Short mmCIF file of all heavy atoms in Angstrom, two decimals:
data_model
loop_
_atom_site.label_atom_id
_atom_site.label_comp_id
_atom_site.label_asym_id
_atom_site.label_seq_id
_atom_site.Cartn_x
_atom_site.Cartn_y
_atom_site.Cartn_z
N GLN A 1 4.50 -14.73 -36.72
CA GLN A 1 5.63 -14.47 -35.83
C GLN A 1 5.09 -14.37 -34.41
O GLN A 1 3.92 -14.05 -34.18
CB GLN A 1 6.31 -13.16 -36.23
CG GLN A 1 7.60 -12.84 -35.51
CD GLN A 1 8.29 -11.62 -36.12
OE1 GLN A 1 8.33 -11.47 -37.34
NE2 GLN A 1 8.85 -10.76 -35.29
N ARG A 2 5.95 -14.65 -33.44
CA ARG A 2 5.65 -14.39 -32.03
C ARG A 2 6.84 -13.62 -31.45
O ARG A 2 7.99 -14.00 -31.69
CB ARG A 2 5.42 -15.68 -31.24
CG ARG A 2 4.20 -16.47 -31.67
CD ARG A 2 3.89 -17.62 -30.73
NE ARG A 2 3.33 -17.14 -29.48
CZ ARG A 2 2.02 -17.09 -29.21
NH1 ARG A 2 1.13 -17.48 -30.12
NH2 ARG A 2 1.59 -16.65 -28.03
N ASN A 3 6.54 -12.57 -30.67
CA ASN A 3 7.58 -11.75 -30.07
C ASN A 3 7.47 -11.82 -28.55
O ASN A 3 6.36 -11.77 -28.01
CB ASN A 3 7.44 -10.29 -30.52
CG ASN A 3 7.66 -10.12 -32.01
OD1 ASN A 3 8.34 -10.92 -32.65
ND2 ASN A 3 7.09 -9.08 -32.58
N CYS A 4 8.62 -11.92 -27.92
CA CYS A 4 8.64 -11.97 -26.46
C CYS A 4 8.73 -10.55 -25.90
O CYS A 4 9.71 -9.84 -26.18
CB CYS A 4 9.82 -12.80 -25.97
SG CYS A 4 9.92 -12.87 -24.15
N PRO A 5 7.75 -10.11 -25.11
CA PRO A 5 7.80 -8.76 -24.55
C PRO A 5 8.82 -8.61 -23.43
O PRO A 5 9.14 -7.50 -23.02
CB PRO A 5 6.38 -8.55 -24.04
CG PRO A 5 5.90 -9.92 -23.69
CD PRO A 5 6.53 -10.83 -24.71
N SER A 6 9.33 -9.73 -22.93
CA SER A 6 10.27 -9.69 -21.82
C SER A 6 11.73 -9.55 -22.28
O SER A 6 12.44 -8.65 -21.87
CB SER A 6 10.12 -10.94 -20.95
OG SER A 6 11.05 -10.96 -19.89
N CYS A 7 12.15 -10.45 -23.18
CA CYS A 7 13.56 -10.43 -23.60
C CYS A 7 13.75 -9.96 -25.03
O CYS A 7 14.89 -9.81 -25.48
CB CYS A 7 14.19 -11.81 -23.42
SG CYS A 7 13.59 -13.06 -24.58
N GLY A 8 12.65 -9.73 -25.75
CA GLY A 8 12.76 -9.23 -27.11
C GLY A 8 13.01 -10.28 -28.17
O GLY A 8 13.16 -9.95 -29.35
N ARG A 9 13.06 -11.55 -27.78
CA ARG A 9 13.32 -12.61 -28.75
C ARG A 9 12.15 -12.75 -29.73
O ARG A 9 10.99 -12.70 -29.34
CB ARG A 9 13.54 -13.94 -28.01
CG ARG A 9 13.81 -15.14 -28.90
CD ARG A 9 15.21 -15.10 -29.49
NE ARG A 9 15.45 -16.26 -30.31
CZ ARG A 9 16.01 -17.40 -29.87
NH1 ARG A 9 16.37 -17.51 -28.60
NH2 ARG A 9 16.22 -18.40 -30.69
N MET A 10 12.46 -12.91 -31.02
CA MET A 10 11.45 -13.14 -32.04
C MET A 10 11.44 -14.62 -32.41
O MET A 10 12.49 -15.23 -32.57
CB MET A 10 11.75 -12.29 -33.27
CG MET A 10 11.65 -10.79 -33.02
SD MET A 10 11.95 -9.81 -34.52
CE MET A 10 13.70 -10.18 -34.79
N HIS A 11 10.23 -15.17 -32.56
CA HIS A 11 10.07 -16.59 -32.88
C HIS A 11 9.26 -16.71 -34.16
O HIS A 11 8.31 -15.96 -34.39
CB HIS A 11 9.36 -17.32 -31.74
CG HIS A 11 10.06 -17.20 -30.42
ND1 HIS A 11 11.05 -18.06 -30.03
CD2 HIS A 11 9.92 -16.30 -29.41
CE1 HIS A 11 11.49 -17.72 -28.82
NE2 HIS A 11 10.81 -16.65 -28.43
N PHE A 12 9.64 -17.69 -34.98
CA PHE A 12 9.02 -17.86 -36.30
C PHE A 12 8.50 -19.29 -36.44
O PHE A 12 9.05 -20.22 -35.85
CB PHE A 12 10.02 -17.55 -37.40
CG PHE A 12 10.59 -16.16 -37.32
CD1 PHE A 12 11.76 -15.90 -36.62
CD2 PHE A 12 9.92 -15.09 -37.92
CE1 PHE A 12 12.26 -14.62 -36.52
CE2 PHE A 12 10.43 -13.81 -37.83
CZ PHE A 12 11.60 -13.56 -37.14
N PRO A 13 7.45 -19.48 -37.25
CA PRO A 13 6.92 -20.83 -37.45
C PRO A 13 8.00 -21.79 -37.93
O PRO A 13 8.84 -21.43 -38.76
CB PRO A 13 5.85 -20.64 -38.54
CG PRO A 13 5.44 -19.21 -38.41
CD PRO A 13 6.69 -18.47 -38.01
N ARG A 14 7.99 -22.99 -37.39
CA ARG A 14 9.00 -23.97 -37.75
C ARG A 14 8.41 -25.07 -38.60
O ARG A 14 7.23 -25.42 -38.49
CB ARG A 14 9.65 -24.57 -36.50
CG ARG A 14 8.68 -25.31 -35.59
CD ARG A 14 9.40 -25.94 -34.42
NE ARG A 14 10.33 -26.97 -34.86
CZ ARG A 14 11.24 -27.54 -34.06
NH1 ARG A 14 11.34 -27.14 -32.80
NH2 ARG A 14 12.02 -28.48 -34.51
N THR A 15 9.24 -25.59 -39.46
CA THR A 15 8.90 -26.75 -40.26
C THR A 15 9.98 -27.79 -40.06
O THR A 15 11.17 -27.49 -40.24
CB THR A 15 8.80 -26.37 -41.76
OG1 THR A 15 7.75 -25.43 -41.94
CG2 THR A 15 8.51 -27.60 -42.60
N ASP A 16 9.61 -28.97 -39.67
CA ASP A 16 10.58 -30.03 -39.39
C ASP A 16 10.85 -30.85 -40.64
O ASP A 16 9.93 -31.46 -41.20
CB ASP A 16 10.06 -30.94 -38.28
CG ASP A 16 9.82 -30.19 -36.98
OD1 ASP A 16 10.69 -29.38 -36.61
OD2 ASP A 16 8.78 -30.40 -36.35
N PRO A 17 12.11 -30.92 -41.10
CA PRO A 17 12.42 -31.73 -42.29
C PRO A 17 12.44 -33.22 -41.96
O PRO A 17 13.06 -33.65 -40.98
CB PRO A 17 13.81 -31.23 -42.70
CG PRO A 17 14.42 -30.72 -41.44
CD PRO A 17 13.29 -30.18 -40.61
N VAL A 18 11.74 -33.98 -42.78
CA VAL A 18 11.65 -35.44 -42.61
C VAL A 18 12.02 -36.09 -43.94
O VAL A 18 11.48 -35.71 -44.98
CB VAL A 18 10.23 -35.87 -42.21
CG1 VAL A 18 10.15 -37.39 -42.09
CG2 VAL A 18 9.81 -35.20 -40.92
N VAL A 19 12.93 -37.04 -43.91
CA VAL A 19 13.23 -37.80 -45.13
C VAL A 19 12.33 -39.03 -45.18
O VAL A 19 12.06 -39.68 -44.17
CB VAL A 19 14.71 -38.23 -45.19
CG1 VAL A 19 15.60 -37.02 -45.43
CG2 VAL A 19 15.15 -38.97 -43.93
N ILE A 20 11.83 -39.32 -46.37
CA ILE A 20 11.07 -40.54 -46.62
C ILE A 20 11.64 -41.16 -47.87
O ILE A 20 11.87 -40.47 -48.86
CB ILE A 20 9.56 -40.26 -46.74
CG1 ILE A 20 8.79 -41.58 -46.94
CG2 ILE A 20 9.23 -39.24 -47.82
CD1 ILE A 20 7.29 -41.45 -46.73
N MET A 21 11.96 -42.46 -47.84
CA MET A 21 12.83 -42.99 -48.88
C MET A 21 12.33 -44.29 -49.52
O MET A 21 11.86 -45.20 -48.84
CB MET A 21 14.25 -43.22 -48.34
CG MET A 21 14.35 -43.67 -46.91
SD MET A 21 14.27 -42.26 -45.77
CE MET A 21 14.55 -43.05 -44.20
N LEU A 22 12.45 -44.28 -50.81
CA LEU A 22 12.21 -45.47 -51.63
C LEU A 22 13.54 -46.22 -51.69
O LEU A 22 14.41 -45.88 -52.48
CB LEU A 22 11.74 -45.07 -53.02
CG LEU A 22 11.48 -46.22 -53.99
CD1 LEU A 22 10.08 -46.77 -53.79
CD2 LEU A 22 11.65 -45.76 -55.43
N ILE A 23 13.69 -47.23 -50.87
CA ILE A 23 14.92 -48.01 -50.83
C ILE A 23 14.70 -49.28 -51.66
O ILE A 23 13.82 -50.10 -51.36
CB ILE A 23 15.31 -48.37 -49.38
CG1 ILE A 23 15.46 -47.11 -48.54
CG2 ILE A 23 16.60 -49.20 -49.38
CD1 ILE A 23 16.51 -46.13 -49.07
N THR A 24 15.49 -49.42 -52.70
CA THR A 24 15.31 -50.56 -53.61
C THR A 24 16.58 -51.40 -53.69
O THR A 24 17.69 -50.92 -53.42
CB THR A 24 14.93 -50.09 -55.02
OG1 THR A 24 15.95 -49.20 -55.52
CG2 THR A 24 13.60 -49.37 -55.01
N HIS A 25 16.38 -52.64 -54.06
CA HIS A 25 17.48 -53.55 -54.36
C HIS A 25 17.02 -54.37 -55.55
O HIS A 25 16.21 -55.29 -55.40
CB HIS A 25 17.81 -54.44 -53.16
CG HIS A 25 19.08 -55.22 -53.33
ND1 HIS A 25 19.14 -56.42 -54.03
CD2 HIS A 25 20.36 -54.97 -52.91
CE1 HIS A 25 20.38 -56.88 -54.01
NE2 HIS A 25 21.15 -56.01 -53.33
N GLY A 26 17.51 -54.00 -56.73
CA GLY A 26 17.01 -54.65 -57.94
C GLY A 26 15.55 -54.35 -58.14
O GLY A 26 15.12 -53.20 -58.22
N ASN A 27 14.74 -55.41 -58.13
CA ASN A 27 13.31 -55.30 -58.39
C ASN A 27 12.49 -55.18 -57.10
O ASN A 27 11.26 -55.22 -57.15
CB ASN A 27 12.85 -56.54 -59.17
CG ASN A 27 11.45 -56.40 -59.74
OD1 ASN A 27 11.12 -55.36 -60.30
ND2 ASN A 27 10.64 -57.44 -59.59
N LYS A 28 13.15 -55.01 -55.96
CA LYS A 28 12.45 -55.02 -54.68
C LYS A 28 12.51 -53.66 -53.99
O LYS A 28 13.45 -52.90 -54.17
CB LYS A 28 13.04 -56.09 -53.76
CG LYS A 28 12.88 -57.52 -54.26
CD LYS A 28 13.47 -58.51 -53.28
CE LYS A 28 13.29 -59.95 -53.77
NZ LYS A 28 13.87 -60.92 -52.81
N VAL A 29 11.49 -53.39 -53.17
CA VAL A 29 11.42 -52.16 -52.40
C VAL A 29 11.21 -52.51 -50.93
O VAL A 29 10.53 -53.49 -50.59
CB VAL A 29 10.27 -51.25 -52.91
CG1 VAL A 29 8.92 -51.93 -52.75
CG2 VAL A 29 10.29 -49.91 -52.19
N LEU A 30 11.80 -51.71 -50.05
CA LEU A 30 11.74 -51.95 -48.62
C LEU A 30 10.57 -51.17 -48.01
O LEU A 30 10.44 -49.97 -48.21
CB LEU A 30 13.05 -51.50 -47.96
CG LEU A 30 13.20 -51.69 -46.45
CD1 LEU A 30 13.16 -53.18 -46.08
CD2 LEU A 30 14.51 -51.06 -45.97
N VAL A 31 9.72 -51.87 -47.24
CA VAL A 31 8.62 -51.22 -46.53
C VAL A 31 8.66 -51.63 -45.07
O VAL A 31 9.25 -52.65 -44.70
CB VAL A 31 7.25 -51.60 -47.14
CG1 VAL A 31 7.14 -51.12 -48.57
CG2 VAL A 31 6.99 -53.10 -47.05
N GLY A 32 8.03 -50.83 -44.23
CA GLY A 32 7.99 -51.13 -42.81
C GLY A 32 6.76 -50.54 -42.17
O GLY A 32 5.97 -49.84 -42.80
N ARG A 33 6.58 -50.82 -40.88
CA ARG A 33 5.43 -50.30 -40.15
C ARG A 33 5.84 -49.94 -38.73
O ARG A 33 6.71 -50.57 -38.13
CB ARG A 33 4.26 -51.29 -40.12
CG ARG A 33 4.57 -52.62 -39.49
CD ARG A 33 3.35 -53.54 -39.44
NE ARG A 33 2.52 -53.27 -38.27
CZ ARG A 33 1.28 -52.79 -38.33
NH1 ARG A 33 0.73 -52.53 -39.50
NH2 ARG A 33 0.58 -52.58 -37.24
N GLY A 34 5.21 -48.89 -38.20
CA GLY A 34 5.46 -48.48 -36.83
C GLY A 34 4.54 -49.20 -35.86
O GLY A 34 3.47 -49.70 -36.24
N ALA A 35 4.94 -49.25 -34.61
CA ALA A 35 4.12 -49.88 -33.58
C ALA A 35 2.82 -49.09 -33.43
O ALA A 35 2.80 -47.86 -33.44
CB ALA A 35 4.87 -49.91 -32.26
N GLY A 36 1.72 -49.82 -33.32
CA GLY A 36 0.43 -49.17 -33.12
C GLY A 36 -0.28 -48.77 -34.40
O GLY A 36 -1.39 -48.22 -34.35
N TRP A 37 0.35 -49.00 -35.55
CA TRP A 37 -0.33 -48.68 -36.81
C TRP A 37 -1.48 -49.65 -37.04
O TRP A 37 -1.44 -50.81 -36.57
CB TRP A 37 0.65 -48.78 -37.97
CG TRP A 37 1.62 -47.64 -38.06
CD1 TRP A 37 1.87 -46.70 -37.11
CD2 TRP A 37 2.48 -47.33 -39.16
NE1 TRP A 37 2.84 -45.82 -37.56
CE2 TRP A 37 3.22 -46.18 -38.81
CE3 TRP A 37 2.68 -47.92 -40.41
CZ2 TRP A 37 4.16 -45.62 -39.66
CZ3 TRP A 37 3.62 -47.35 -41.26
CH2 TRP A 37 4.35 -46.22 -40.90
N PRO A 38 -2.51 -49.23 -37.77
CA PRO A 38 -3.61 -50.14 -38.08
C PRO A 38 -3.12 -51.38 -38.83
O PRO A 38 -2.11 -51.34 -39.54
CB PRO A 38 -4.53 -49.30 -38.97
CG PRO A 38 -4.21 -47.88 -38.60
CD PRO A 38 -2.75 -47.86 -38.28
N GLU A 39 -3.85 -52.47 -38.67
CA GLU A 39 -3.47 -53.73 -39.32
C GLU A 39 -3.37 -53.54 -40.84
O GLU A 39 -4.23 -52.93 -41.47
CB GLU A 39 -4.51 -54.80 -39.01
CG GLU A 39 -4.16 -56.17 -39.57
CD GLU A 39 -5.19 -57.22 -39.22
OE1 GLU A 39 -6.14 -56.90 -38.47
OE2 GLU A 39 -5.05 -58.37 -39.71
#
């Protein structure tokens, strides 16, 4: 935890939810790549 001595606000560790998905169509799966990823 982190506490603000000025305004009294309490702060807690955050975890960002990310979805990652297996998208299929019949026998196929969709894949992709971001810019700058290794070859």
